Amino acid sequence: MCRSIKTLRPPALPEQATEEDIHAAALQFVRKVSGFRAPAAHNREVFDRAVDAIAEATAELLAGLEVRGARQAS
């Protein structure tokens, strides 16, 4: 587990996660899995696609989670 990836749902994060929060978590995940902090030029495209795919999946997950006891914004 990447220690720098923080929980992005309430109550760990009191406000809704921003696109920047989600992208940063996705980038950290891809860095950890790939073993590259910054990929070589020949791997850049696949690296960036992976970050985008994980960010999209993360946003979908967060949008669909129901957190018990959390108040919904009106």
Side-chain angles (χ1 to χ4, degrees):
M1 182 65 175
C2 292
R3 290 185 209 131
S4 58
I5 297 177
K6 62 183 179 179
T7 302
L8 297 181
R9 65 160 180 80
L13 190 66
E15 68 281 351
Q16 186 175 18
T18 65
E19 284 186 35
E20 291 81 20
D21 293 328
I22 292 169
H23 184 269
L27 178 59
Q28 285 301 104
F29 180 81
V30 171
R31 284 175 172 169
K32 182 68 169 187
V33 170
S34 70
F36 296 115
R37 183 175 182 333
H42 63 277
N43 287 325
R44 171 58 65 189
E45 185 178 342
V46 71
F47 188 93
D48 289 344
R49 279 197 319 257
V51 171
D52 291 343
I54 293 188
E56 184 177 326
T58 301
E60 185 177 328
L61 171 67
L62 292 173
L65 285 177
E66 181 179 323
V67 181
R68 291 185 178 183
R71 289 185 273 159
Q72 296 291 328
S74 313

